[in-house]
Amino acid sequence: MKGPKLSAPVLAIDASESASLALALPDRPWQGVSIDAGKGRASELLDALNAVLHAEGLQAKDIGSLVLCSGPGSFTGLRIAAGLVQGLARGLQRSVAVVSAFEAYALAWLLGSSRRAWIEPLHDQPGGDESRQWAGQSVHRSSVDVLLNARLGEFYKAQLRFNPQFFQYEFVEPPFIVQQELLGDEQSLATEEAANTSRSTQLFEPCIRDYWLPFGLNETAAQPSSLQTLAYWSLAAAALSHDPSRFGPVVHAQPLYVREKVALTREERLKGPTMGLQTLSPADLASVMVIENQSYEVPWSSGNFRDAFASGYELLKLVDQGVMVGYLVCMRVLDECHLLNFTIAPARQRRGAGQFMLDQLVKKLFAEKVGVVMLEVRPSNQAAIRLYERNGFQRVGLRKDYYPTRHGEAVREDAVLMNRSLLSGSAS
């Protein structure tokens, strides 16, 4: 594959894990340096940069623009890389592109996977020059889930979609943290979806050295390990992008902190999970209605929720790192619980949150000696039915014309009746 056309050298710096830098040179092989973990301080990166520039007969003033690999990763490393890029950009008065590790891995999969062969644009395909294909399959809407190890039993996760107009990957939604114990069902669902749609793949703890370097090399040389780095792929992502706003002012050169809090102490991390059930209060109603309206064609009204509060129903919210991602409403009568509303925000669905919330509810009810849990669900909501059946709920009946639809009273949907006994076994 032909590399991007450059008018001046472009420098990329990464220190999210082990530190590296890559220097793209016009009409010459790209250069790179990979620094051992633990030696990625600013002084080592500067020494490595000066050595690379000297070997190419260049000086810092010859750098045309800079690229920051923004992470996520080591908080200390991210601050070092960002500070170095900011200092160089301000001193040289250069523009900066910011590329996340998620984008770098997605592009590495797209261009550098040894399992696929790159095919140049096919002009007879829909989209003309914008239609690039892998072995005849268009990547117009190729989506990639990237999961990176965040340590201590958690993963950074982001879903990205390829934008052929700008030839770059873009976030479908902001990255977030997912707990390792929630990944089991999610991975199987992602695999199933990928098999069915051929439009999605999951990169689970990818290794950057597994990807072939498609350009920027001496054609007679072997793949240099010094360029098999996040810095190389961050540089490639920025240089290949057709987005005119990709390079901007230095103020944009900031680390990507996926956690709301920049760093948690080990004691805080071990103290408890980042996700949990909490009591829902009327003050949460505005946030609830945002999720409710996003989730259903015929949502509950705010009046329905106020009635639930007034009737003494139990309302709980699922909170992840301080953000509400779901909620439930249930009515208790003696030793029975009727689950009236069980909702996960669409942006967090199929990621284990529903399983977690149901687990926590069942454990709570079991401890409170509730004998049976009952619910209704639309037959069209197959994902919810699978979740309930996977957790021991049985179909016990059908209630005709129970749910309203967006078509009005003339067209209503049945309700599948399900229940689960908590008397004959454990909460698990």
Side-chain angles (χ1 to χ4, degrees), residues 257 287 360 382:
Y257 293 131
S287 298
Q360 297 303 303
Q382 287 297 309

Side-chain angles (χ1 to χ4, degrees), residues 12 43 83 138 140 161 175 226 248 270 274 285 289 303 357-358 402 410:
S43 58
S138 174
H140 257 93
R161 182 173 292 119
S226 61
L270 295 176
T274 61
L285 191 53
M289 291 311 301
M357 187 162 75
L358 187 58
Y402 181 75

Side-chain angles (χ1 to χ4, degrees), residues 242-305:
H242 304 320
D243 186 350
S245 64
R246 187 84 222 205
F247 284 85
V250 65
V251 68
H252 294 155
Q254 301 295 332
L256 173 60
Y257 293 131
V258 177
R259 305 182 198 281
E260 290 187 355
K261 187 173 179 181
V262 170
L264 299 176
T265 66
R266 182 174 179 83
E267 290 73 20
E268 288 174 321
R269 297 295 304 282
L270 295 176
K271 186 176 180 180
T274 61
M275 184 182 290
L277 274 182
Q278 301 176 13
T279 300
L280 186 72
S281 74
D284 297 313
L285 191 53
S287 298
V288 166
M289 291 311 301
V290 171
I291 297 175
E292 182 75 12
N293 289 322
Q294 289 176 342
S295 301
Y296 305 110
E297 288 186 349
V298 186
W300 277 24
S301 67
S302 58
N304 293 140
F305 285 99

Side-chain angles (χ1 to χ4, degrees), residues 338 375-380 385 395-404 412-418:
H338 189 176
L375 59 87
E376 295 90 20
V377 60
R378 292 176 185 263
S380 59
I385 291 174
R395 303 190 197 204
V396 295
L398 189 70
R399 187 165 291 162
K400 300 292 290 184
D401 298 329
Y402 181 75
Y403 288 111
R412 297 180 68 86
E413 186 173 2
D414 299 339
V416 176
L417 308 182
M418 306 185 77

Side-chain angles (χ1 to χ4, degrees), residues 106-123:
L107 187 71
W109 170 80
L110 181 67
L111 301 186
S113 174
S114 60
R115 299 188 303 273
R116 303 173 187 265
W118 176 257
I119 299 176
E120 288 298 325
L122 300 183
H123 298 279

